[in-house]
Amino acid sequence: MSEYRTAIDQTITVINQRSRTFLNQVMVVVAIASGSAAGGVVLHKLWPLTGLLVIVPACGLFLWLDTRRLVEWRLAILQMWARRDIDLMAFRQAMRANPMLPEITLNGMLGLLGTPQIGDVEIHASAQTRYAVAAVAGFADVLSLRQFALKVVAYAIVAAGACGSAATHSGMPLFFATVPVLALWLLGRRRGALQRQSRATLKAARQHPAFDADAFRRLFDHLQLGCGRASTAGWIDPEPADRRTGAQGG
């Protein structure tokens, strides 16, 4: 029962942290909007209003911080689940038993741990099968987080370039908007590396006698990858055709 208590406490802590992050985001947005408007009035010019563009990357930064917190939380919960210290369905029920938690926030977080039907599958899943699921989900989450970070950086560069161009009456700052193109290329290479690690992890898991390929597939039918932003394509290497054929022939 202590592991469930740990998981519950971690979840409540994350919910409180997310609430504070949202409040900070609101205050930053108000400060940026007020500062831009005040700058325009004081200087009697329109270019300070381009500072409103900074709101987009600022909100993106807070959303990225929130997503990173969710990724870390889900990884911690799935690691407990992989060790068979907790079951996701029982944990879901334990969290819903607390009427003081914000329902919308809680539902969103529990949704990252799979649909309610996952309970029918997890009860038969071995620890090795669960470890494989947690590992593949972790690889996808890392990529999703990096993609999100890249978008935030891209918005920040574009916003800074626009503000710089407006203030200096020059188009040169907009040149830096081409930087994300290189980052996209690098991210594509990193995506391939993470997916190869994912398939290698799954290949190694298949060698273990306790690994259940059917349970693995069924678990992923109920679990979101990349915090809901990714599909299973590329992360799960199909079982070799000759093995499937042999199994059917046997």
Side-chain angles (χ1 to χ4, degrees):
M1 191 64 183
S2 60
E3 293 297 333
Y4 279 97
R5 183 72 263 171
T6 299
I8 291 172
D9 290 343
Q10 287 183 359
T11 304
I12 294 175
T13 297
V14 170
I15 289 175
N16 293 333
Q17 291 173 339
R18 296 185 69 197
S19 178
R20 288 194 296 270
T21 297
F22 175 75
L23 292 176
N24 291 336
Q25 178 181 343
V26 172
M27 290 189 292
V28 168
V29 169
V30 171
I32 293 174
S34 301
S36 299
V41 172
V42 172
L43 298 176
H44 300 287
K45 294 182 181 296
L46 292 178
W47 69 261
L49 295 180
T50 58
L52 295 174
L53 295 174
V54 179
I55 291 178
V56 175
C59 289
L61 175 60
F62 281 105
L63 290 175
W64 178 82
L65 291 172
D66 184 62
T67 301
R68 184 181 68 172
R69 188 169 286 121
L70 284 176
V71 166
E72 293 173 347
W73 166 79
R74 182 163 88 150
L75 177 60
I77 298 299
L78 288 180
Q79 286 177 340
M80 295 182 191
W81 174 73
R83 296 192 299 266
R84 300 185 69 88
D85 292 334
I86 65 173
D87 282 328
L88 296 180
M89 180 53 64
F91 173 67
R92 181 191 297 268
Q93 294 172 346
M95 291 303 308
R96 293 193 183 282
N98 189 337
M100 302 301 295
L101 298 177
E103 184 176 359
I104 295 178
T105 301
L106 181 61
N107 287 341
M109 293 176 66
L110 293 179
L112 296 177
L113 298 178
T115 65
Q117 291 74 26
I118 201 171
D120 298 331
V121 185
E122 66 175 346
I123 191 171
H124 303 295
S126 64
Q128 187 63 31
T129 304
R130 294 186 180 196
Y131 271 118
V133 170
V136 173
F139 287 129
D141 284 349
V142 167
L143 179 63
S144 178
L145 199 58
R146 291 177 180 175
Q147 289 176 326
F148 201 156
L150 176 61
K151 291 180 182 179
V152 174
V153 171
Y155 286 136
I157 292 174
V158 172
C163 292
S165 295
T168 62
H169 303 288
S170 169
M172 285 301 295
L174 289 176
F175 171 77
F176 293 101
T178 61
V179 174
V181 176
L182 175 60
L184 281 172
W185 178 76
L186 293 174
L187 184 61
R189 292 179 61 85
R190 186 55 182 163
R191 176 187 181 92
L194 285 170
Q195 289 185 335
R196 285 192 294 273
Q197 291 181 57
S198 173
R199 293 192 294 267
T201 298
L202 181 53
K203 182 178 180 180
R206 287 195 177 112
Q207 309 306 314
H208 197 283
F211 179 78
D212 186 337
D214 180 62
F216 178 87
R217 287 282 183 177
R218 292 172 62 198
L219 285 169
F220 264 108
D221 286 341
H222 301 290
L223 191 67
Q224 299 181 24
L225 280 183
C227 287
R229 298 186 178 90
S231 67
T232 57
W235 298 102
I236 303 176
D237 192 21
E239 191 172 0
D242 56 346
R243 182 177 300 179
R244 292 197 304 267
T245 302
Q248 293 172 358

